[in-house]
């Protein structure tokens, strides 16, 4: 296997905005190389403004893939191109800073982006309202429930600029109703801002509800096992018959994929 | 519902109120507060009992005349001497002078220590080079610096401050490094995602994240500052006003053992009071605001 040097920027030949992210032959493993790699020769292209949902069994390397796209880790081989600059990432754990309030966490993202002090407060409040936390701005992180923390983390990710938004199981800790509301908001934000999104989830219905494309990752080694394009027009609802039908189809494939790899 | 013109333009639906209702369900319920006084008493009575036991031992040793009375005065004599210094105001003057010196010296040590600590935390090479030296300095008694400081600065306040700095800075630097070493890697990754680099990374991520661990270093730094000052005051007698160390040495020169014990008591007391008044509330505030304390004690 040849090891190529990672290039984060687009290489002259590609126009800067032709893709939001492009992974070419990305292979990654932790520790010794002898074991099957966590990610094995992944090829994945996300078009500008595209909404891609990533499905896969637990431990198949979804979070690893996102941290490679975010530039937090470098792949062992292959290239990751993100021409639009540093993507926004919402981690699987809320990972809020406990020394700041909920609003403070969102404001920090704005501040590091260079937003002027006067606008920060207002913008943070707007984002917290968006995730249905308008009253919780002054609360400390430890005073928030798990689902509230996740929503603050969502507000913080939305506070970052960048043409690409990476989300790692963002709604896993939410009740069904709040999740429905946030699905709607996310769809709306995505349509309005035209950002590309890579959205990791275990929930097939959620993937079909949100994505234009659903990518199934196999485990050990992690490869792109299958892809579906979702041609159901937005706005969709999670209980639309079309969504249910495609979800059932994907679930069947997912079940086979998981059975093939033990558990 | 009243019209709220300042509200951002988000659509409100019946679902919102439902979602808010579910929020209320998932909000943690505040733990009941236990009585502050009972908690304070639980902390204080064993200390009082231990002090009482020590006094009894002292009184017994005095009654048995293990040493002649000029070398081992009774607790009552010592108490009278202490009261005398309090009544003529000399105790208060000495305490304020010493505490003021220690506070100024400690503040300078914090500035210098944080600057050095940040530099070492940011540069692995610098840390490999200077880390062992600073750890070595930490175990060097600061009284060893007093002769050098006198030669450099003669009998000026600079001598005091130099000794305090040399005593306190290594602890503060090492405390900061210990704090930064304990920062969860996830916080640093979040910082990178948010675009914190260079100074903004230190200012907004590393230092606040390291604060709980750093508090221990600050406390130790204060203890070293106070000790170093006492050592310097004991040795530097003339020309610099009368601090606690100077009173202690006065007791030695005049063979007044009760004055010696009284000044030791004062030095000890100042240490405890500063801990209780400054560091304990600071620590409680930092830990409490991050939800790091298990008890629901009063703020
Ligand atoms: N820092 C690390 N060191 C060693 N192994 C790791 C590390 N991070 C992840 N792994 C391994 O890499 C594999 C993929 O992990 P990853 O977190 O990407 O899974 P995931 O698909 O996000 O799983 P989940 O759905 O449970 O979040 C796992 O087998 C995990 O044990
Ligand atoms: Mg994961």
């Amino acid at each position: 296997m040849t090891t190529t040097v990672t290039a984060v920027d687009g290489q002259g030949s590609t126009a800067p905005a032709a893709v939001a992210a492009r992974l070419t032959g990305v292979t990654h493993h932790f520790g010794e190389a002898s074991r099957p790699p966590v990610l094995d020769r992944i090829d994945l292209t996300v078009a500008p403004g595209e909404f891609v949902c990533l499905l896969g069994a637990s431990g198949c390397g979804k979070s690893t893939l996102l941290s490679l796209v975010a530039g937090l880790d470098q792949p062992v081989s292959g290239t990751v191109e993100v021409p639009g600059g540093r993507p926004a990432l919402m981690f699987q754990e809320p990972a809020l800073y406990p020394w700041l309030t909920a609003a403070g966490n969102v404001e920090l993202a704005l501040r590091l982006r260079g937003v002027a002090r006067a606008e920060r407060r207002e913008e943070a409040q707007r984002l917290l309202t968006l995730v249905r936390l308008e009253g919780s701005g002054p609360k400390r992180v430890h005073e928030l429930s798990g689902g509230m923390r996740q929503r603050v983390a969502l507000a913080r990710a939305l506070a970052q600029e960048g043409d690409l938004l990476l989300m790692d199981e963002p709604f896993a800790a939410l009740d069904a109703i709040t999740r429905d509301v946030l699905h709607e908001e996310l769809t709306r934000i995505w349509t309005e801002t035209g950002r590309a999104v890579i959205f990791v989830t275990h929930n097939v219905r959620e993937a079909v509800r949100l994505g234009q494309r659903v990518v199934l990752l196999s485990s050990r080694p992690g490869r792109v096992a299958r892809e579906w394009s979702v041609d159901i027009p937005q706005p969709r609802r999670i209980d639309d018959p079309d969504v249910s039908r495609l979800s059932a189809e994907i679930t069947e494939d997912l079940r086979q994929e998981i059975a093939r790899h033990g558990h | 519902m009243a019209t709220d013109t300042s509200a951002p333009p988000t659509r409100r639906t019946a679902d919102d109120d439902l979602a808010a209702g579910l929020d209320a369900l998932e909000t943690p319920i505040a733990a009941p507060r236990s009585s502050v006084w009972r908690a304070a008493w639980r902390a204080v009575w064993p200390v009082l009992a231990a002090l009482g036991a020590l006094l009894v031992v002292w009184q017994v040793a005095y009654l048995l005349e293990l040493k002649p009375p000029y070398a081992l005065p009774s607790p009552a004599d010592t108490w009278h001497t202490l009261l005398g210094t309090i009544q003529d105001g000399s105790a208060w003057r000495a305490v304020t002078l010493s505490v003021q010196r220690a506070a100024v010296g400690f503040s300078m040590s914090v500035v210098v220590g944080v600057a050095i600590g940040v530099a070492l935390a940011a540069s692995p090479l610098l840390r490999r080079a200077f880390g062992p030296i600073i750890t070595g300095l930490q175990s060097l008694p600061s009284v060893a610096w007093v002769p050098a400081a006198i030669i450099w600065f003669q009998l000026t306040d600079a001598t005091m401050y130099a000794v305090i700095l040399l005593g306190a800075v290594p602890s503060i630097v090492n405390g900061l490094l210990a704090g930064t070493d304990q920062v969860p890697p996830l916080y640093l990754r979040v910082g990178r995602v948010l675009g914190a680099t260079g100074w903004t990374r230190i200012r907004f991520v590393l230092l606040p994240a390291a604060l709980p661990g750093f508090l221990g270093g600050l406390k130790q730094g204060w203890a070293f500052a106070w000790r170093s000052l006492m050592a310097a005051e004991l040795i530097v007698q003339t020309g610099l006003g009368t601090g606690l160390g100077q009173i202690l040495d006065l007791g030695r020169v005049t063979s007044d053992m009760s004055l010696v014990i009284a000044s030791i008591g004062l030095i000890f007391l100042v240490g405890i009071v500063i801990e209780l008044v400054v560091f304990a509330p600071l620590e409680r505030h930092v830990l409490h605001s991050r939800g790091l304390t298990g008890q629901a004690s009063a703020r």
Side-chain angles (χ1 to χ4, degrees), chain A residues 185-196:
Chain A
E185 286 300 340
L186 182 60
T187 307
R188 191 177 62 76
I189 292 165
W190 167 67
T191 332
E192 278 175 10
T193 60
R195 287 180 178 183

Side-chain angles (χ1 to χ4, degrees), chain A residues 70-94:
Chain A
L72 289 175
D73 296 303
Q74 300 300 321
V76 172
S77 71
T79 59
V80 176
E81 298 166 51
V82 184
R86 187 165 37 76
L89 169 60
M90 187 182 162
F91 287 83
Q92 187 165 6
E93 309 84 4

Side-chain angles (χ1 to χ4, degrees), chain A residues 67 71-73 86 89 91 93 95-99 108-109 111-112 126 129-130 132-134 140 142-143 145 147-148 151 156 160 175 177-178 181 184 188, chain B residues 8-13 15-16 18-19 22-23 26-28 186-196 200 203-205 208-209 285 288-291 299:
Chain A
S67 67
L72 289 175
D73 296 303
R86 187 165 37 76
L89 169 60
F91 287 83
E93 309 84 4
L96 301 172
Y97 288 146
W99 58 89
L108 179 61
R111 177 169 193 164
L112 292 172
R126 190 186 69 79
T129 309
L130 202 70
R132 300 305 184 268
L133 285 177
E134 48 269 64
R140 293 277 172 171
H142 72 273
E143 296 170 317
S145 71
M148 292 160 95
R151 278 178 281 156
R156 181 175 67 180
Q160 294 178 251
D175 61 85
I177 293 166
T178 313
V181 172
E184 223 170 281
R188 191 177 62 76
Chain B
T10 44
R11 291 162 302 148
R12 300 199 61 91
T13 64
D15 275 356
D16 293 353
L18 202 46
L22 289 167
D23 265 2
E26 62 183 33
T27 306
L186 184 60
Y187 291 169
L188 303 178
R189 287 164 74 84
V190 171
R192 279 174 65 192
V193 165
L194 296 180
T200 51
R203 158 88 173 71
F204 293 112
V205 182
H285 172 75
H288 192 276
S289 68
R290 297 175 188 217
R299 289 168 200 233

Side-chain angles (χ1 to χ4, degrees), chain A residues 30 38 57-65 92 168-169 202 220:
Chain A
F30 298 96
V38 173
S58 182
C60 75
K62 303 180 296 293
S63 300
T64 307
L65 187 97
Q92 187 165 6
D168 200 345
E169 301 186 30
H202 283 291
R220 289 278 173 193

Side-chain angles (χ1 to χ4, degrees), chain B residues 59-76:
Chain B
Q59 181 70 32
V60 168
Y62 169 75
L63 291 176
L64 294 176
E65 293 203 32
L66 294 183
K67 292 269 183 194
Y70 73 84
L72 183 62
S74 73

